[in-house]
Amino acid sequence: MLALVGFANAQEKTINEISSFKPKDSGTLMDKNNDVDGYYFFYEVDKLKKGDREFAIRILDNNLNDLATKSYVDNKNTVLVQSKFNNQALIFAMTNYKEKFYKLITFDRQANQVENIQIPVSKKEMRWLNAMKQTGNFNFLFPVDNKGFLFNYIRDNNKLGYGLKYVSTDGGTSWDYNSPDDSKSILTLNPIEANDEVVVALEGSKKSLLSQTINYKVIVIDIKTGKFLFERSFDRKDNPRLITNAFLTEDRNLVMLGEYYAAGKNIMKDKSEGLFAETVDLTGNVIGDSKISWVDKIDPIMPANIDGKKKKRGYIYFHDIVRTQKGTYYAIGERYRKTASAAGIAAMALGGNRGGSSSVTQLTITNAAIFEFDNKFELKDIKVFEKGKSRAPSLTDFGSPQLNAHALKSFGAFDYEFTQMDTKRDRFYSAFIDYERLKGQKNKFAFKAIMYNDGSFSEDKIYLEEDKGKIQYRVMPGKLGNVMLLEYNRKEKTVQLHLEKLNIQ
């Protein structure tokens, strides 16, 4: 856990009278230009009679001034699972295990309650939803900027299927898109992109729970009506691919990115051949398909490390993709590889790790890497930025490193925090938490920003120090050029907020 050192010039705010709070119960409010417009916080204030709880929803502006605080009362069996903001409204997804329902509550930017939706659910469906969330490859709530929210859940029909509920916040139509009730396969859905035109979701299909083969296809849905538009199949036999990102270009074409595999390979276990970017129009016609081989294209231009040596490439996990005003794309990622875990091996030698992870492998996460692509997604350059190693136990020793990486991302295994871009799209910066191993002095954590400014890169960092145990910390975006640190003191029941300015060239 981390704390910023030195706040002489930082703006600060303290929130008191908090009975129960989790750092995930807070977030940023973004304006229409994707700059930070403020912050929201959801926390328990008091325990009331008959098992009720009083909560507060508090909204601050980007200078940490109070805008609104509203009270919300609910039963103790109703648990907040996740919250999101879409530039118009807040949504809180709740579950009630005793009364068996999901609850979706939306609030406007002034914290006024707008809508309350309940969805009946069985215990079996709740168990499966929890299991899917634990895989890390499942978006439970998905915001659609300035339009609405997607709620993704499990449905128990002939086998197992999915339900996708769209909640509009801009006056449009809300809708539901469900898997067929008579499906003979186990079907899951994971939204990976939603914009003012379409929803892009990745559908997985397995014949049985124990099957080691899963086939994926991309389903594209009209965001206004919920109607199916088209699909792209990536089956194991002919065209196995792992899609990780998707976005809409300025000329309204859809780009899907990820890793491609040799025909017949199993993405659950095998190594990928490289990266791909497939472009389709909104009727499903393929416009372009760019493949970038690890061996032929990426390895030859991968920069050496500071010591001049090129270490084993491993893999790249891409967190975000930004487009600059020049029409070039930058993919921000981290390098990682699958390695042996000394702690896991020792635990197995002593008879296994009861109650914990029994993995003898781990992901070792190293340097940040930024890939530059032209407007046709041809690879132009790779920049590597030195960063300390982080390690995370594999969820399974038998799965591919790529699938482990996607699952572990949801548990905070990577060092990446966020990326922000200015309104002119000529500058952006990506933030990481770096663990620096320093010779002759105590190792330190640092908040590192990698900044792009009109074609060139620079770095800035703010050193952090270790927490002593009673405080939880979270780094969040600030108004452009700033970073905000949230400190939750579990003993004092307070939240302390700090704004710190970055040195952006």
Side-chain angles (χ1 to χ4, degrees), residues 5-267:
V5 179
F7 288 100
N9 299 314
Q11 294 169 278
E12 300 186 9
K13 180 78 173 182
T14 301
I15 300 176
N16 299 300
E17 300 177 352
I18 297 176
S19 296
S20 177
F21 176 79
K22 296 179 181 179
K24 72 175 182 179
D25 300 343
S26 58
T28 55
L29 305 179
M30 310 294 286
D31 63 20
K32 63 182 180 181
N33 295 317
N34 272 338
D35 194 7
V36 174
D37 202 29
Y39 302 92
Y40 69 89
F41 303 89
F42 182 96
Y43 52 91
E44 184 178 314
V45 176
D46 198 8
K47 295 181 179 180
L48 306 178
K49 295 179 180 179
K50 299 181 180 180
D52 285 343
R53 299 289 184 266
E54 180 185 5
F55 300 90
I57 298 171
R58 191 163 183 172
I59 296 179
L60 310 179
D61 68 14
N62 59 7
N63 291 312
L64 307 185
N65 299 309
D66 279 296
L67 292 179
T69 302
K70 297 294 175 67
S71 175
Y72 171 75
V73 176
D74 211 324
N75 186 267
K76 66 178 181 180
N77 294 314
T78 303
V79 178
L80 176 64
V81 178
Q82 200 172 50
S83 59
K84 293 289 183 180
F85 178 71
N86 75 340
N87 303 345
Q88 286 182 337
L90 288 162
I91 191 167
F92 294 89
M94 316 270 195
T95 58
N96 188 309
Y97 290 90
K98 186 174 182 180
E99 298 182 26
K100 298 190 288 296
F101 62 77
Y102 300 125
K103 183 188 289 186
L104 305 177
I105 310 170
T106 55
F107 297 83
D108 63 20
R109 294 177 69 100
Q110 288 73 45
N112 297 311
Q113 187 170 337
V114 178
E115 194 168 12
N116 186 338
I117 300 170
Q118 285 195 17
I119 303 172
V121 62
S122 69
K123 289 184 178 179
K124 180 180 178 181
E125 289 169 336
M126 279 193 175
R127 287 197 302 269
W128 275 106
L129 185 66
N130 286 333
M132 287 300 300
K133 284 177 59 186
Q134 290 300 314
T135 68
N137 194 28
F138 188 83
N139 288 316
F140 185 63
L141 268 181
F142 201 93
V144 188
D145 289 348
N146 302 305
K147 292 193 70 67
F149 298 95
L150 292 166
F151 175 64
N152 184 26
Y153 60 102
I154 302 296
R155 294 176 65 239
D156 181 17
N157 43 33
N158 184 38
K159 282 197 172 181
L160 279 176
Y162 57 80
L164 187 66
K165 175 176 283 293
Y166 174 66
V167 180
S168 174
T169 59
D170 68 346
T173 302
S174 297
W175 46 260
D176 291 271
Y177 183 89
N178 299 323
S179 60
D181 289 335
D182 58 353
S183 173
K184 296 181 180 180
S185 299
I186 295 173
L187 299 176
T188 58
L189 197 70
N190 193 37
I192 59 174
E193 166 64 5
N195 48 59
D196 58 0
E197 294 279 354
V198 296
V199 175
V200 183
L202 193 62
E203 184 186 83
S205 173
K206 295 175 67 173
K207 291 184 178 180
S208 68
L209 291 175
L210 300 179
S211 174
Q212 292 297 307
T213 297
I214 183 168
N215 289 316
Y216 286 107
K217 62 181 177 182
V218 170
I219 293 177
V220 180
I221 304 166
D222 189 318
I223 189 70
K224 300 178 184 66
T225 64
K227 292 183 178 179
F228 171 87
L229 293 177
F230 66 89
E231 64 182 42
R232 290 282 296 137
S233 181
F234 301 103
D235 62 272
R236 176 179 174 179
K237 181 181 177 182
D238 299 316
N239 191 22
R241 298 190 181 192
L242 179 64
I243 297 89
T244 55
N245 303 83
F247 64 93
L248 207 63
T249 65
E250 287 190 338
D251 51 1
R252 319 312 286 173
N253 290 320
L254 180 66
V255 179
M256 294 175 287
L257 302 101
E259 298 176 51
Y260 71 93
Y261 297 73
K265 293 295 184 180
N266 188 344
I267 67 172

Side-chain angles (χ1 to χ4, degrees), residues 219-361:
I219 293 177
V220 180
I221 304 166
D222 189 318
I223 189 70
K224 300 178 184 66
T225 64
K227 292 183 178 179
F228 171 87
L229 293 177
F230 66 89
E231 64 182 42
R232 290 282 296 137
S233 181
F234 301 103
D235 62 272
R236 176 179 174 179
K237 181 181 177 182
D238 299 316
N239 191 22
R241 298 190 181 192
L242 179 64
I243 297 89
T244 55
N245 303 83
F247 64 93
L248 207 63
T249 65
E250 287 190 338
D251 51 1
R252 319 312 286 173
N253 290 320
L254 180 66
V255 179
M256 294 175 287
L257 302 101
E259 298 176 51
Y260 71 93
Y261 297 73
K265 293 295 184 180
N266 188 344
I267 67 172
M268 300 284 287
K269 300 185 295 184
D270 296 319
K271 295 181 179 180
S272 67
E273 296 289 302
L275 307 175
F276 80 91
E278 182 177 282
T279 305
V280 299
D281 64 23
L282 293 185
T283 63
N285 294 317
V286 178
I287 298 173
D289 189 11
S290 174
K291 290 184 177 180
I292 306 168
S293 165
W294 293 117
V295 175
D296 298 332
K297 293 185 178 181
I298 296 176
D299 287 351
I301 65 172
M302 181 70 75
N305 295 314
I306 289 178
D307 57 11
K309 298 179 181 179
K310 279 194 175 185
K311 296 183 180 179
K312 291 183 178 180
R313 170 201 358 106
Y315 303 91
I316 308 291
Y317 187 93
F318 291 110
H319 300 282
D320 202 357
I321 296 170
V322 297
R323 181 183 182 275
T324 67
Q325 63 176 359
K326 295 180 178 180
T328 55
Y329 294 89
Y330 289 90
I332 297 99
E334 288 181 80
R335 301 175 70 173
Y336 69 94
R337 61 185 187 274
K338 191 174 183 179
T339 59
S341 169
I345 293 171
M348 290 297 289
L350 294 173
N353 184 8
R354 294 181 179 86
S357 171
S358 59
S359 297
V360 297
T361 62

